[in-house]
């Protein structure tokens, strides 16, 4: 079994960048107020402290970036060409096939607003694209 080459520095930087994307996207001046209304969240009186959701977010972003980096390397080896474009195309493909498709399905069964679903999958698309840009411009050594 061969493990794909991964630039772990790119994974760490892309993980940190994903946190910045989330902080900007869900800020009150951008999409935070709309998201809170659609999700039924009271930003003035949160039901719990944000520590564990933030820890979870960092860990899941790290896993997502690591998987993206590995998948981009596999795609690059298979298709050849540009590592950057392999990363970008892989991110959009994985987002559409796994993230967007699964969120849409779950939100439909949970009766969530399509506006909330669209807002959340939009955030996920921007996040994986930022991850892909970082991974794509910083390929593993030797590629």
């Amino acid at each position: 079994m061969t493990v794909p080459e991964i630039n772990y520095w790119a994974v760490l930087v892309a993980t940190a960048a994903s946190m910045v994307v989330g902080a900007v996207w869900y800020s009150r001046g951008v999409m935070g107020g709309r998201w809170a209304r659609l999700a039924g969240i009271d930003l003035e009186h949160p039901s719990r402290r944000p520590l564990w959701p933030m820890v979870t977010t960092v860990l899941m972003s790290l896993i997502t970036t690591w998987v993206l980096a590995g998948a981009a390397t596999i795609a690059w080896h298979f298709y050849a060409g540009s590592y950057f474009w392999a990363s970008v195309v892989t991110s959009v493909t994985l987002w559409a096939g796994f993230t967007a498709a699964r969120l849409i399905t779950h939100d439909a069964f949970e009766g969530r607003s399509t506006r909330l679903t669209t807002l959340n999958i939009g955030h996920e698309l921007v996040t994986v694209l930022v991850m892909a840009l970082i991974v794509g411009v910083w390929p593993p050594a030797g590629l």
Side-chain angles (χ1 to χ4, degrees), residues 5 26 30 40 52 63 79 82 103 107 114 116 135 137-138:
E5 302 94 334
Y26 289 109
V30 181
W52 288 114
I63 291 168
Y79 294 111
S82 163
L103 274 172
D107 286 4
T114 55
L116 177 60
V135 167
V137 299
W138 202 358

Side-chain angles (χ1 to χ4, degrees), residues 16-18 21 40 42 44 54 61-62 81 88 97 103 106 121-122 126 139-141:
S18 77
V21 169
D42 183 355
E44 300 303 322
M54 293 302 289
S61 292
L62 181 64
V88 171
L103 274 172
H106 285 278
I121 63 174
V126 171

Side-chain angles (χ1 to χ4, degrees), residues 40-95:
I41 304 292
D42 183 355
L43 294 176
E44 300 303 322
H45 303 94
S47 61
R48 63 182 182 185
R49 301 209 182 266
L51 175 63
W52 288 114
M54 293 302 289
V55 169
T56 301
T57 300
V58 170
L59 291 175
M60 295 304 103
S61 292
L62 181 64
I63 291 168
T64 301
T65 308
W66 178 72
V67 169
L68 170 61
T73 299
I74 292 167
W76 178 79
H77 279 294
F78 186 79
Y79 294 111
S82 163
Y83 188 85
F84 175 82
W85 287 112
S87 179
V88 171
V89 170
T90 299
S91 74
V92 172
T93 303
L94 293 175
W95 167 82

